[in-house]
Amino acid sequence: MKTKSIGLGIIVASLSASAAAAEVSYANAFATFHNLDNGNADVDVEAYGGSIEFLAGNFTFSGEAGRLDVEDLSLDTLSLGGSYAFQNGVSVGLDYSEFDVEDFGDSDIVSLFTFYSFSEFALGLSVGEASDLGDTVYSVFGTWDVTENGRVGIDLVEIESETLVSLYADYDTNRYGLSADFLSVNDLDILAVSGEYQVFDKAYVTGGLAHVSLGDDLDSISIGAKYEFVPGASAEIAYSRLNADGADDIDVVTFGLQYEIGAKTSPRRTVTNIINHATGNIANLTNF
């Protein structure tokens, strides 16, 4: 696709030109291993991924990649973006997101976006082209940096006459952290909250609650413990219980490793970012 090739070329060229002077504002890498058991059978799930955001003068660049393996099925996600901030608070940029399900093909979206930042607020919109859809993809988004460590935001995405609504909140300090998501599209609704609290030096208690509605309901509750070896590097073990209408309860045991520093500055989220953030709070199935 010509549009995609031009868009990716611009992103890659800009990344190459600015990498030497870049300042990393956020970086994250994780690997998680899950065992799901309903008493009759068990399934292993593995998730790997990482993301980065860096600043180079007035440019902001970001990237995110992830892989989810469930037995013989795998899902790969990718997101790349770049933007330029003018002195008047207006930023313009381009991003690319992709979903690739093994044996089912892939789907990608290339979008142009702009947003205006004022005080602790940002408002923006985007227009994009999807590889396998006949319609243009539109979105409107906004954020409010409530504190230095906390952000709330909204994304409205129009895809083939369906509107995806995403509300989220993130708050993180050295002592505790909280993440919440609400996502709704067509017949799917997701409401998820997760958090952590420091109980001893380098040791945290973690937990989460989630409700998923897609015809039938799925509820999850999680509790775990995390140990931080050095700032940003940690290991976590967690237990979750999934309860689905008309099905046996599923016990989930999770072990994960993560390295995370900094905080994202850009208010722009691709469709890949939105989905990964929301599903990551459901029994830790995609990330911590």
Side-chain angles (χ1 to χ4, degrees):
M1 182 186 297
K2 184 176 180 181
T3 303
K4 181 170 73 174
S5 300
I6 294 173
L8 291 177
I10 293 173
I11 293 174
V12 172
S14 299
L15 286 171
S16 301
S18 305
E23 171 192 353
V24 175
S25 54
Y26 177 78
N28 174 40
F30 70 90
T32 61
F33 310 91
H34 314 272
N35 178 262
L36 287 71
D37 190 339
N38 69 353
N40 299 313
D42 69 301
V43 175
D44 291 324
V45 178
E46 299 176 355
Y48 313 89
S51 59
I52 188 169
E53 180 190 83
F54 59 92
L55 312 177
N58 289 353
F59 289 96
T60 300
F61 300 104
S62 63
E64 178 179 297
R67 181 179 180 88
L68 184 69
D69 287 320
V70 184
E71 298 295 314
D72 296 327
L73 182 67
S74 65
L75 167 66
D76 293 294
T77 62
L78 175 67
S79 178
L80 297 171
S83 65
Y84 181 84
F86 294 95
Q87 297 298 323
N88 59 2
V90 174
S91 295
V92 295
L94 180 73
D95 57 35
Y96 169 80
S97 60
E98 179 182 73
F99 296 87
D100 186 355
V101 182
E102 187 176 8
D103 297 329
F104 289 90
D106 61 355
S107 177
D108 51 62
I109 302 174
V110 178
S111 299
L112 293 170
F113 65 88
T114 184
F115 61 86
Y116 177 61
S117 301
F118 54 103
S119 185
E120 66 270 23
F121 301 95
L123 293 173
L125 54 86
S126 74
V127 57
E129 178 186 355
S131 62
D132 59 344
L133 301 177
D135 293 339
T136 303
V137 179
Y138 302 95
S139 76
V140 177
F141 56 94
T143 61
W144 173 25
D145 290 333
V146 183
T147 68
E148 182 180 352
N149 303 305
R151 168 176 288 184
V152 296
I154 182 172
D155 293 276
L156 303 174
V157 184
E158 184 79 8
I159 305 177
E160 283 203 318
S161 302
E162 294 288 346
T163 302
L164 182 153
V165 179
S166 173
L167 305 172
Y168 67 97
D170 289 305
Y171 187 80
D172 189 32
T173 69
N174 291 332
R175 190 66 185 270
Y176 60 91
L178 180 67
S179 181
D181 278 278
F182 171 75
L183 185 148
S184 179
V185 58
N186 202 356
D187 295 326
L188 172 66
D189 294 311
I190 298 174
L191 178 61
V193 179
S194 65
E196 63 181 32
Y197 185 80
Q198 185 179 28
V199 290
F200 301 108
D201 184 35
K202 300 183 179 181
Y204 296 78
V205 172
T206 65
L209 295 169
H211 175 79
V212 180
S213 177
L214 183 59
D216 295 324
D217 291 339
L218 170 71
D219 295 298
S220 77
I221 182 170
S222 307
I223 188 168
K226 185 179 86 169
Y227 184 81
E228 189 173 47
F229 303 103
V230 296
S234 62
E236 182 175 357
I237 187 168
Y239 167 78
S240 306
R241 170 65 65 91
L242 304 179
N243 176 263
D245 288 347
D248 294 332
D249 290 347
I250 301 174
D251 296 316
V252 184
V253 177
T254 298
F255 174 74
L257 299 171
Q258 183 185 45
Y259 180 73
E260 183 177 37
I261 58 171
K264 294 181 180 179
T265 62
S266 175
R268 169 63 177 166
R269 302 197 306 168
T270 66
V271 174
T272 301
N273 301 145
I274 293 170
I275 294 175
N276 283 349
H277 194 277
T279 58
N281 284 330
I282 304 174
N284 293 322
L285 287 180
T286 55
N287 59 34
F288 281 124

